[in-house]
Amino acid sequence: MPSWVSAVRAVSQGLGVLSALLILVSVLVVCHMVFVRAVLGQSSIWQTEFATFCVLGATFLGAPYILLTRGHVNVDLLPIMCAGKLRRTLYFLSTSIALAFCLIFLYASIPWCYEAWEIGLTTASIWRVPLWIPYLSVPIGLGLLCLQFIADVWLVIIGYEEPFGLEPGVHV
């Protein structure tokens, strides 16, 4: 396996761990918020936004790991019923469409994140979080998702992996 593919996979795995930690932290913060509100009778200032931003970060930063492990929801009936060149064509077509979507989304997210940083956008709450911080997870996650798509395609091109992670031949 080429070293750049190993590096992309390592980063994807690291982001998978980070995403799991972000979800864990958001659960703990929500529990804290419930305790503070219900038991102590105090208002919560930062907990809702923090948990929301953790889930946002986990979603986008975890996407490359989900692609790496093929953990996403997919319909694999057609790839299973196809073999050889037809399966490869279907793989390259579907991956190209998904990669194009991610590249367009990445292209749109960079100015969005930069604008939040440039003009100093913050949340409307008393906590006033600079929005570029949570927004940054979108272009970072999408950029690495694009790299993971490219690495997966490269492994199929060089014959290191089969399309869709399936064994060669038709499986019905």
Side-chain angles (χ1 to χ4, degrees), residues 11-62:
V11 171
S12 294
Q13 288 173 337
L15 289 177
V17 171
L18 177 62
S19 295
L21 291 173
L22 286 171
I23 291 172
L24 175 64
V25 168
S26 68
V27 167
L28 294 173
V29 167
V30 168
C31 291
H32 174 265
M33 179 178 64
V34 169
F35 177 78
V36 165
R37 284 180 152 188
V39 176
L40 302 179
Q42 299 174 352
S43 65
S44 60
I45 296 172
W46 57 272
Q47 292 93 332
T48 303
E49 285 180 347
F50 185 84
T52 301
F53 293 148
C54 281
V55 171
L56 171 79
T59 300
F60 284 97
L61 296 175

mmCIF file of all heavy atoms in Angstrom, residues 11-62:
data_model
loop_
_atom_site.group_PDB
_atom_site.id
_atom_site.type_symbol
_atom_site.label_atom_id
_atom_site.label_comp_id
_atom_site.label_asym_id
_atom_site.label_seq_id
_atom_site.Cartn_x
_atom_site.Cartn_y
_atom_site.Cartn_z
ATOM 1 N N VAL A 11 -4.934 9.121 9.446
ATOM 2 C CA VAL A 11 -5.646 10.347 9.824
ATOM 3 C C VAL A 11 -7.140 10.057 9.978
ATOM 4 O O VAL A 11 -7.781 10.525 10.922
ATOM 5 C CB VAL A 11 -5.386 11.477 8.800
ATOM 6 C CG1 VAL A 11 -6.292 12.667 9.053
ATOM 7 C CG2 VAL A 11 -3.925 11.902 8.843
ATOM 8 N N SER A 12 -7.696 9.267 9.062
ATOM 9 C CA SER A 12 -9.116 8.909 9.157
ATOM 10 C C SER A 12 -9.407 8.151 10.449
ATOM 11 O O SER A 12 -10.426 8.386 11.103
ATOM 12 C CB SER A 12 -9.540 8.072 7.944
ATOM 13 O OG SER A 12 -9.479 8.835 6.761
ATOM 14 N N GLN A 13 -8.525 7.231 10.808
ATOM 15 C CA GLN A 13 -8.714 6.486 12.059
ATOM 16 C C GLN A 13 -8.597 7.411 13.267
ATOM 17 O O GLN A 13 -9.373 7.299 14.216
ATOM 18 C CB GLN A 13 -7.696 5.350 12.157
ATOM 19 C CG GLN A 13 -7.987 4.230 11.196
ATOM 20 C CD GLN A 13 -6.894 3.176 11.161
ATOM 21 O OE1 GLN A 13 -5.741 3.431 11.518
ATOM 22 N NE2 GLN A 13 -7.255 1.986 10.697
ATOM 23 N N GLY A 14 -7.644 8.322 13.234
ATOM 24 C CA GLY A 14 -7.502 9.280 14.327
ATOM 25 C C GLY A 14 -8.742 10.156 14.470
ATOM 26 O O GLY A 14 -9.202 10.427 15.586
ATOM 27 N N LEU A 15 -9.287 10.589 13.342
ATOM 28 C CA LEU A 15 -10.507 11.391 13.393
ATOM 29 C C LEU A 15 -11.704 10.578 13.872
ATOM 30 O O LEU A 15 -12.616 11.121 14.497
ATOM 31 C CB LEU A 15 -10.792 12.011 12.023
ATOM 32 C CG LEU A 15 -9.849 13.134 11.611
ATOM 33 C CD1 LEU A 15 -10.171 13.613 10.208
ATOM 34 C CD2 LEU A 15 -9.909 14.286 12.593
ATOM 35 N N GLY A 16 -11.687 9.281 13.593
ATOM 36 C CA GLY A 16 -12.745 8.416 14.124
ATOM 37 C C GLY A 16 -12.712 8.369 15.643
ATOM 38 O O GLY A 16 -13.752 8.459 16.305
ATOM 39 N N VAL A 17 -11.520 8.277 16.202
ATOM 40 C CA VAL A 17 -11.363 8.299 17.662
ATOM 41 C C VAL A 17 -11.790 9.651 18.220
ATOM 42 O O VAL A 17 -12.524 9.724 19.215
ATOM 43 C CB VAL A 17 -9.907 7.960 18.057
ATOM 44 C CG1 VAL A 17 -9.671 8.192 19.537
ATOM 45 C CG2 VAL A 17 -9.565 6.527 17.674
ATOM 46 N N LEU A 18 -11.344 10.724 17.571
ATOM 47 C CA LEU A 18 -11.734 12.071 18.002
ATOM 48 C C LEU A 18 -13.249 12.239 17.960
ATOM 49 O O LEU A 18 -13.840 12.807 18.884
ATOM 50 C CB LEU A 18 -11.050 13.124 17.127
ATOM 51 C CG LEU A 18 -11.433 14.575 17.416
ATOM 52 C CD1 LEU A 18 -11.039 14.978 18.835
ATOM 53 C CD2 LEU A 18 -10.785 15.496 16.387
ATOM 54 N N SER A 19 -13.884 11.744 16.931
ATOM 55 C CA SER A 19 -15.340 11.853 16.812
ATOM 56 C C SER A 19 -16.053 11.098 17.930
ATOM 57 O O SER A 19 -17.038 11.588 18.488
ATOM 58 C CB SER A 19 -15.802 11.334 15.455
ATOM 59 O OG SER A 19 -15.305 12.141 14.437
ATOM 60 N N ALA A 20 -15.553 9.926 18.239
ATOM 61 C CA ALA A 20 -16.144 9.161 19.346
ATOM 62 C C ALA A 20 -16.004 9.923 20.658
ATOM 63 O O ALA A 20 -16.940 9.963 21.471
ATOM 64 C CB ALA A 20 -15.485 7.788 19.443
ATOM 65 N N LEU A 21 -14.843 10.530 20.865
ATOM 66 C CA LEU A 21 -14.636 11.328 22.075
ATOM 67 C C LEU A 21 -15.558 12.551 22.104
ATOM 68 O O LEU A 21 -16.087 12.904 23.169
ATOM 69 C CB LEU A 21 -13.177 11.758 22.187
ATOM 70 C CG LEU A 21 -12.174 10.636 22.480
ATOM 71 C CD1 LEU A 21 -10.748 11.165 22.393
ATOM 72 C CD2 LEU A 21 -12.451 9.998 23.829
ATOM 73 N N LEU A 22 -15.754 13.186 20.966
ATOM 74 C CA LEU A 22 -16.669 14.330 20.908
ATOM 75 C C LEU A 22 -18.096 13.925 21.264
ATOM 76 O O LEU A 22 -18.806 14.652 21.968
ATOM 77 C CB LEU A 22 -16.633 14.977 19.519
ATOM 78 C CG LEU A 22 -15.397 15.803 19.194
ATOM 79 C CD1 LEU A 22 -15.379 16.190 17.721
ATOM 80 C CD2 LEU A 22 -15.327 17.038 20.078
ATOM 81 N N ILE A 23 -18.519 12.766 20.803
ATOM 82 C CA ILE A 23 -19.863 12.285 21.151
ATOM 83 C C ILE A 23 -19.951 11.979 22.640
ATOM 84 O O ILE A 23 -20.930 12.328 23.302
ATOM 85 C CB ILE A 23 -20.244 11.067 20.292
ATOM 86 C CG1 ILE A 23 -20.454 11.518 18.838
ATOM 87 C CG2 ILE A 23 -21.504 10.388 20.827
ATOM 88 C CD1 ILE A 23 -20.648 10.398 17.852
ATOM 89 N N LEU A 24 -18.922 11.335 23.183
ATOM 90 C CA LEU A 24 -18.893 11.042 24.615
ATOM 91 C C LEU A 24 -18.954 12.324 25.436
ATOM 92 O O LEU A 24 -19.725 12.442 26.392
ATOM 93 C CB LEU A 24 -17.638 10.242 24.970
ATOM 94 C CG LEU A 24 -17.420 9.956 26.458
ATOM 95 C CD1 LEU A 24 -18.535 9.072 26.999
ATOM 96 C CD2 LEU A 24 -16.062 9.327 26.683
ATOM 97 N N VAL A 25 -18.143 13.314 25.060
ATOM 98 C CA VAL A 25 -18.136 14.587 25.778
ATOM 99 C C VAL A 25 -19.501 15.268 25.676
ATOM 100 O O VAL A 25 -20.002 15.819 26.663
ATOM 101 C CB VAL A 25 -17.005 15.504 25.250
ATOM 102 C CG1 VAL A 25 -17.153 16.924 25.749
ATOM 103 C CG2 VAL A 25 -15.651 14.939 25.651
ATOM 104 N N SER A 26 -20.120 15.217 24.504
ATOM 105 C CA SER A 26 -21.438 15.859 24.366
ATOM 106 C C SER A 26 -22.481 15.171 25.240
ATOM 107 O O SER A 26 -23.334 15.842 25.825
ATOM 108 C CB SER A 26 -21.883 15.891 22.907
ATOM 109 O OG SER A 26 -22.164 14.612 22.422
ATOM 110 N N VAL A 27 -22.406 13.862 25.373
ATOM 111 C CA VAL A 27 -23.334 13.144 26.258
ATOM 112 C C VAL A 27 -23.110 13.566 27.711
ATOM 113 O O VAL A 27 -24.070 13.827 28.450
ATOM 114 C CB VAL A 27 -23.176 11.611 26.091
ATOM 115 C CG1 VAL A 27 -23.890 10.859 27.194
ATOM 116 C CG2 VAL A 27 -23.690 11.171 24.732
ATOM 117 N N LEU A 28 -21.848 13.651 28.114
ATOM 118 C CA LEU A 28 -21.545 14.068 29.484
ATOM 119 C C LEU A 28 -22.008 15.502 29.751
ATOM 120 O O LEU A 28 -22.544 15.802 30.825
ATOM 121 C CB LEU A 28 -20.051 13.936 29.762
ATOM 122 C CG LEU A 28 -19.498 12.509 29.771
ATOM 123 C CD1 LEU A 28 -17.977 12.524 29.892
ATOM 124 C CD2 LEU A 28 -20.141 11.673 30.857
ATOM 125 N N VAL A 29 -21.851 16.374 28.775
ATOM 126 C CA VAL A 29 -22.275 17.760 28.936
ATOM 127 C C VAL A 29 -23.794 17.852 29.018
ATOM 128 O O VAL A 29 -24.331 18.624 29.823
ATOM 129 C CB VAL A 29 -21.705 18.639 27.799
ATOM 130 C CG1 VAL A 29 -22.380 20.002 27.750
ATOM 131 C CG2 VAL A 29 -20.205 18.803 27.981
ATOM 132 N N VAL A 30 -24.500 17.060 28.235
ATOM 133 C CA VAL A 30 -25.969 17.050 28.322
ATOM 134 C C VAL A 30 -26.411 16.531 29.683
ATOM 135 O O VAL A 30 -27.346 17.076 30.299
ATOM 136 C CB VAL A 30 -26.584 16.233 27.169
ATOM 137 C CG1 VAL A 30 -28.066 15.978 27.403
ATOM 138 C CG2 VAL A 30 -26.381 16.957 25.838
ATOM 139 N N CYS A 31 -25.750 15.502 30.198
ATOM 140 C CA CYS A 31 -26.072 15.010 31.553
ATOM 141 C C CYS A 31 -25.820 16.099 32.591
ATOM 142 O O CYS A 31 -26.625 16.283 33.517
ATOM 143 C CB CYS A 31 -25.256 13.761 31.874
ATOM 144 S SG CYS A 31 -25.724 12.322 30.908
ATOM 145 N N HIS A 32 -24.720 16.821 32.442
ATOM 146 C CA HIS A 32 -24.420 17.932 33.338
ATOM 147 C C HIS A 32 -25.509 18.991 33.257
ATOM 148 O O HIS A 32 -25.964 19.518 34.282
ATOM 149 C CB HIS A 32 -23.055 18.524 32.980
ATOM 150 C CG HIS A 32 -22.714 19.755 33.749
ATOM 151 N ND1 HIS A 32 -22.953 21.016 33.257
ATOM 152 C CD2 HIS A 32 -22.163 19.925 34.982
ATOM 153 C CE1 HIS A 32 -22.569 21.912 34.150
ATOM 154 N NE2 HIS A 32 -22.076 21.273 35.202
ATOM 155 N N MET A 33 -25.952 19.287 32.039
ATOM 156 C CA MET A 33 -26.986 20.298 31.844
ATOM 157 C C MET A 33 -28.292 19.877 32.521
ATOM 158 O O MET A 33 -28.936 20.688 33.186
ATOM 159 C CB MET A 33 -27.230 20.531 30.354
ATOM 160 C CG MET A 33 -28.312 21.544 30.062
ATOM 161 S SD MET A 33 -28.553 21.861 28.304
ATOM 162 C CE MET A 33 -29.107 20.269 27.726
ATOM 163 N N VAL A 34 -28.655 18.625 32.370
ATOM 164 C CA VAL A 34 -29.883 18.131 33.004
ATOM 165 C C VAL A 34 -29.771 18.233 34.522
ATOM 166 O O VAL A 34 -30.706 18.675 35.202
ATOM 167 C CB VAL A 34 -30.180 16.676 32.563
ATOM 168 C CG1 VAL A 34 -31.282 16.054 33.398
ATOM 169 C CG2 VAL A 34 -30.542 16.640 31.079
ATOM 170 N N PHE A 35 -28.620 17.860 35.072
ATOM 171 C CA PHE A 35 -28.421 17.942 36.510
ATOM 172 C C PHE A 35 -28.499 19.393 36.996
ATOM 173 O O PHE A 35 -29.173 19.696 37.982
ATOM 174 C CB PHE A 35 -27.059 17.330 36.900
ATOM 175 C CG PHE A 35 -26.748 17.431 38.353
ATOM 176 C CD1 PHE A 35 -27.334 16.558 39.262
ATOM 177 C CD2 PHE A 35 -25.887 18.406 38.829
ATOM 178 C CE1 PHE A 35 -27.067 16.652 40.610
ATOM 179 C CE2 PHE A 35 -25.608 18.514 40.181
ATOM 180 C CZ PHE A 35 -26.200 17.629 41.083
ATOM 181 N N VAL A 36 -27.821 20.285 36.314
ATOM 182 C CA VAL A 36 -27.803 21.694 36.710
ATOM 183 C C VAL A 36 -29.204 22.290 36.659
ATOM 184 O O VAL A 36 -29.613 23.033 37.558
ATOM 185 C CB VAL A 36 -26.823 22.499 35.816
ATOM 186 C CG1 VAL A 36 -27.030 23.994 35.937
ATOM 187 C CG2 VAL A 36 -25.396 22.130 36.157
ATOM 188 N N ARG A 37 -29.964 21.945 35.633
ATOM 189 C CA ARG A 37 -31.303 22.511 35.492
ATOM 190 C C ARG A 37 -32.311 21.858 36.434
ATOM 191 O O ARG A 37 -33.076 22.540 37.111
ATOM 192 C CB ARG A 37 -31.801 22.343 34.052
ATOM 193 C CG ARG A 37 -31.185 23.304 33.100
ATOM 194 C CD ARG A 37 -31.733 23.064 31.720
ATOM 195 N NE ARG A 37 -31.693 24.302 30.952
ATOM 196 C CZ ARG A 37 -32.240 24.449 29.788
ATOM 197 N NH1 ARG A 37 -32.900 23.441 29.243
ATOM 198 N NH2 ARG A 37 -32.152 25.582 29.147
ATOM 199 N N ALA A 38 -32.323 20.514 36.452
ATOM 200 C CA ALA A 38 -33.363 19.803 37.192
ATOM 201 C C ALA A 38 -33.090 19.738 38.690
ATOM 202 O O ALA A 38 -33.999 19.918 39.494
ATOM 203 C CB ALA A 38 -33.524 18.396 36.637
ATOM 204 N N VAL A 39 -31.863 19.479 39.065
ATOM 205 C CA VAL A 39 -31.542 19.284 40.474
ATOM 206 C C VAL A 39 -31.179 20.608 41.156
ATOM 207 O O VAL A 39 -31.679 20.925 42.241
ATOM 208 C CB VAL A 39 -30.406 18.250 40.641
ATOM 209 C CG1 VAL A 39 -29.993 18.112 42.091
ATOM 210 C CG2 VAL A 39 -30.819 16.904 40.071
ATOM 211 N N LEU A 40 -30.326 21.374 40.521
ATOM 212 C CA LEU A 40 -29.865 22.623 41.133
ATOM 213 C C LEU A 40 -30.766 23.818 40.823
ATOM 214 O O LEU A 40 -30.629 24.863 41.453
ATOM 215 C CB LEU A 40 -28.426 22.926 40.702
ATOM 216 C CG LEU A 40 -27.378 21.857 41.032
ATOM 217 C CD1 LEU A 40 -26.017 22.278 40.522
ATOM 218 C CD2 LEU A 40 -27.346 21.575 42.528
ATOM 219 N N GLY A 41 -31.642 23.661 39.837
ATOM 220 C CA GLY A 41 -32.556 24.738 39.477
ATOM 221 C C GLY A 41 -31.881 25.943 38.858
ATOM 222 O O GLY A 41 -32.413 27.052 38.899
ATOM 223 N N GLN A 42 -30.715 25.747 38.270
ATOM 224 C CA GLN A 42 -29.978 26.847 37.645
ATOM 225 C C GLN A 42 -30.159 26.789 36.129
ATOM 226 O O GLN A 42 -30.526 25.757 35.567
ATOM 227 C CB GLN A 42 -28.498 26.756 37.994
ATOM 228 C CG GLN A 42 -28.203 26.859 39.467
ATOM 229 C CD GLN A 42 -26.733 26.620 39.775
ATOM 230 O OE1 GLN A 42 -25.959 26.238 38.898
ATOM 231 N NE2 GLN A 42 -26.353 26.821 41.024
ATOM 232 N N SER A 43 -29.877 27.890 35.500
ATOM 233 C CA SER A 43 -29.957 27.899 34.041
ATOM 234 C C SER A 43 -28.645 27.413 33.446
ATOM 235 O O SER A 43 -27.593 27.494 34.078
ATOM 236 C CB SER A 43 -30.275 29.306 33.531
ATOM 237 O OG SER A 43 -29.216 30.178 33.843
ATOM 238 N N SER A 44 -28.745 26.916 32.249
ATOM 239 C CA SER A 44 -27.537 26.495 31.553
ATOM 240 C C SER A 44 -27.204 27.554 30.514
ATOM 241 O O SER A 44 -28.079 28.093 29.848
ATOM 242 C CB SER A 44 -27.741 25.131 30.886
ATOM 243 O OG SER A 44 -28.793 25.194 29.960
ATOM 244 N N ILE A 45 -25.938 27.863 30.407
ATOM 245 C CA ILE A 45 -25.515 28.929 29.500
ATOM 246 C C ILE A 45 -24.827 28.339 28.271
ATOM 247 O O ILE A 45 -25.149 28.662 27.146
ATOM 248 C CB ILE A 45 -24.577 29.913 30.229
ATOM 249 C CG1 ILE A 45 -25.336 30.615 31.344
ATOM 250 C CG2 ILE A 45 -23.980 30.907 29.264
ATOM 251 C CD1 ILE A 45 -24.477 31.453 32.253
ATOM 252 N N TRP A 46 -23.901 27.454 28.474
ATOM 253 C CA TRP A 46 -23.044 26.994 27.394
ATOM 254 C C TRP A 46 -23.311 25.562 26.947
ATOM 255 O O TRP A 46 -22.879 25.148 25.881
ATOM 256 C CB TRP A 46 -21.580 27.100 27.839
ATOM 257 C CG TRP A 46 -21.287 26.323 29.103
ATOM 258 C CD1 TRP A 46 -21.419 26.768 30.381
ATOM 259 C CD2 TRP A 46 -20.846 24.972 29.195
ATOM 260 N NE1 TRP A 46 -21.072 25.788 31.270
ATOM 261 C CE2 TRP A 46 -20.718 24.661 30.557
ATOM 262 C CE3 TRP A 46 -20.541 23.993 28.263
ATOM 263 C CZ2 TRP A 46 -20.309 23.410 31.009
ATOM 264 C CZ3 TRP A 46 -20.134 22.748 28.706
ATOM 265 C CH2 TRP A 46 -20.013 22.465 30.069
ATOM 266 N N GLN A 47 -24.026 24.779 27.746
ATOM 267 C CA GLN A 47 -24.120 23.339 27.508
ATOM 268 C C GLN A 47 -24.797 22.968 26.187
ATOM 269 O O GLN A 47 -24.320 22.081 25.477
ATOM 270 C CB GLN A 47 -24.829 22.643 28.675
ATOM 271 C CG GLN A 47 -24.050 22.642 29.955
ATOM 272 C CD GLN A 47 -24.382 23.822 30.858
ATOM 273 O OE1 GLN A 47 -24.782 24.883 30.403
ATOM 274 N NE2 GLN A 47 -24.196 23.646 32.153
ATOM 275 N N THR A 48 -25.898 23.614 25.862
ATOM 276 C CA THR A 48 -26.621 23.255 24.641
ATOM 277 C C THR A 48 -25.770 23.524 23.404
ATOM 278 O O THR A 48 -25.649 22.673 22.520
ATOM 279 C CB THR A 48 -27.948 24.030 24.551
ATOM 280 O OG1 THR A 48 -28.715 23.753 25.719
ATOM 281 C CG2 THR A 48 -28.732 23.636 23.317
ATOM 282 N N GLU A 49 -25.175 24.708 23.352
ATOM 283 C CA GLU A 49 -24.323 25.031 22.200
ATOM 284 C C GLU A 49 -23.109 24.114 22.129
ATOM 285 O O GLU A 49 -22.742 23.643 21.054
ATOM 286 C CB GLU A 49 -23.856 26.484 22.277
ATOM 287 C CG GLU A 49 -24.916 27.470 21.922
ATOM 288 C CD GLU A 49 -24.422 28.905 22.004
ATOM 289 O OE1 GLU A 49 -23.339 29.158 22.564
ATOM 290 O OE2 GLU A 49 -25.141 29.772 21.508
ATOM 291 N N PHE A 50 -22.502 23.857 23.267
ATOM 292 C CA PHE A 50 -21.323 23.007 23.282
ATOM 293 C C PHE A 50 -21.654 21.606 22.765
ATOM 294 O O PHE A 50 -20.926 21.057 21.933
ATOM 295 C CB PHE A 50 -20.743 22.928 24.704
ATOM 296 C CG PHE A 50 -19.458 22.162 24.773
ATOM 297 C CD1 PHE A 50 -18.253 22.786 24.484
ATOM 298 C CD2 PHE A 50 -19.449 20.820 25.126
ATOM 299 C CE1 PHE A 50 -17.054 22.076 24.541
ATOM 300 C CE2 PHE A 50 -18.265 20.103 25.192
ATOM 301 C CZ PHE A 50 -17.064 20.730 24.899
ATOM 302 N N ALA A 51 -22.754 21.034 23.247
ATOM 303 C CA ALA A 51 -23.150 19.697 22.798
ATOM 304 C C ALA A 51 -23.476 19.705 21.305
ATOM 305 O O ALA A 51 -23.104 18.774 20.575
ATOM 306 C CB ALA A 51 -24.340 19.198 23.600
ATOM 307 N N THR A 52 -24.142 20.740 20.841
ATOM 308 C CA THR A 52 -24.479 20.846 19.420
ATOM 309 C C THR A 52 -23.210 20.921 18.571
ATOM 310 O O THR A 52 -23.096 20.238 17.547
ATOM 311 C CB THR A 52 -25.347 22.096 19.159
ATOM 312 O OG1 THR A 52 -26.536 21.995 19.941
ATOM 313 C CG2 THR A 52 -25.701 22.239 17.695
ATOM 314 N N PHE A 53 -22.251 21.725 19.000
ATOM 315 C CA PHE A 53 -21.012 21.872 18.242
ATOM 316 C C PHE A 53 -20.178 20.591 18.287
ATOM 317 O O PHE A 53 -19.486 20.262 17.317
ATOM 318 C CB PHE A 53 -20.213 23.072 18.730
ATOM 319 C CG PHE A 53 -20.879 24.392 18.446
ATOM 320 C CD1 PHE A 53 -20.711 25.460 19.305
ATOM 321 C CD2 PHE A 53 -21.685 24.564 17.334
ATOM 322 C CE1 PHE A 53 -21.321 26.680 19.048
ATOM 323 C CE2 PHE A 53 -22.306 25.768 17.071
ATOM 324 C CZ PHE A 53 -22.115 26.837 17.925
ATOM 325 N N CYS A 54 -20.231 19.863 19.397
ATOM 326 C CA CYS A 54 -19.531 18.574 19.470
ATOM 327 C C CYS A 54 -20.119 17.572 18.479
ATOM 328 O O CYS A 54 -19.379 16.847 17.808
ATOM 329 C CB CYS A 54 -19.594 17.995 20.886
ATOM 330 S SG CYS A 54 -18.430 18.729 22.041
ATOM 331 N N VAL A 55 -21.434 17.530 18.388
ATOM 332 C CA VAL A 55 -22.080 16.610 17.456
ATOM 333 C C VAL A 55 -21.795 17.034 16.011
ATOM 334 O O VAL A 55 -21.556 16.189 15.146
ATOM 335 C CB VAL A 55 -23.594 16.514 17.736
ATOM 336 C CG1 VAL A 55 -24.316 15.738 16.655
ATOM 337 C CG2 VAL A 55 -23.830 15.851 19.099
ATOM 338 N N LEU A 56 -21.795 18.337 15.749
ATOM 339 C CA LEU A 56 -21.433 18.832 14.419
ATOM 340 C C LEU A 56 -20.013 18.391 14.058
ATOM 341 O O LEU A 56 -19.775 17.852 12.970
ATOM 342 C CB LEU A 56 -21.533 20.361 14.366
ATOM 343 C CG LEU A 56 -20.979 21.021 13.105
ATOM 344 C CD1 LEU A 56 -21.966 20.893 11.963
ATOM 345 C CD2 LEU A 56 -20.640 22.466 13.368
ATOM 346 N N GLY A 57 -19.088 18.613 14.972
ATOM 347 C CA GLY A 57 -17.706 18.206 14.729
ATOM 348 C C GLY A 57 -17.577 16.706 14.546
ATOM 349 O O GLY A 57 -16.862 16.242 13.652
ATOM 350 N N ALA A 58 -18.258 15.940 15.381
ATOM 351 C CA ALA A 58 -18.197 14.476 15.273
ATOM 352 C C ALA A 58 -18.736 14.003 13.926
ATOM 353 O O ALA A 58 -18.200 13.063 13.332
ATOM 354 C CB ALA A 58 -18.970 13.833 16.419
ATOM 355 N N THR A 59 -19.759 14.660 13.436
ATOM 356 C CA THR A 59 -20.361 14.265 12.164
ATOM 357 C C THR A 59 -19.384 14.467 11.003
ATOM 358 O O THR A 59 -19.148 13.541 10.215
ATOM 359 C CB THR A 59 -21.641 15.080 11.907
ATOM 360 O OG1 THR A 59 -22.565 14.828 12.968
ATOM 361 C CG2 THR A 59 -22.270 14.717 10.571
ATOM 362 N N PHE A 60 -18.837 15.659 10.902
ATOM 363 C CA PHE A 60 -17.968 15.940 9.760
ATOM 364 C C PHE A 60 -16.574 15.354 9.922
ATOM 365 O O PHE A 60 -16.003 14.845 8.954
ATOM 366 C CB PHE A 60 -17.912 17.449 9.491
ATOM 367 C CG PHE A 60 -19.158 17.936 8.829
ATOM 368 C CD1 PHE A 60 -20.169 18.513 9.565
ATOM 369 C CD2 PHE A 60 -19.332 17.787 7.463
ATOM 370 C CE1 PHE A 60 -21.331 18.940 8.962
ATOM 371 C CE2 PHE A 60 -20.494 18.217 6.845
ATOM 372 C CZ PHE A 60 -21.498 18.799 7.593
ATOM 373 N N LEU A 61 -16.010 15.419 11.111
ATOM 374 C CA LEU A 61 -14.674 14.870 11.314
ATOM 375 C C LEU A 61 -14.686 13.343 11.297
ATOM 376 O O LEU A 61 -13.672 12.722 10.979
ATOM 377 C CB LEU A 61 -14.077 15.390 12.619
ATOM 378 C CG LEU A 61 -13.825 16.895 12.672
ATOM 379 C CD1 LEU A 61 -13.352 17.307 14.060
ATOM 380 C CD2 LEU A 61 -12.838 17.336 11.609
ATOM 381 N N GLY A 62 -15.813 12.737 11.620
ATOM 382 C CA GLY A 62 -15.914 11.278 11.613
ATOM 383 C C GLY A 62 -16.236 10.684 10.255
ATOM 384 O O GLY A 62 -16.113 9.472 10.057
#
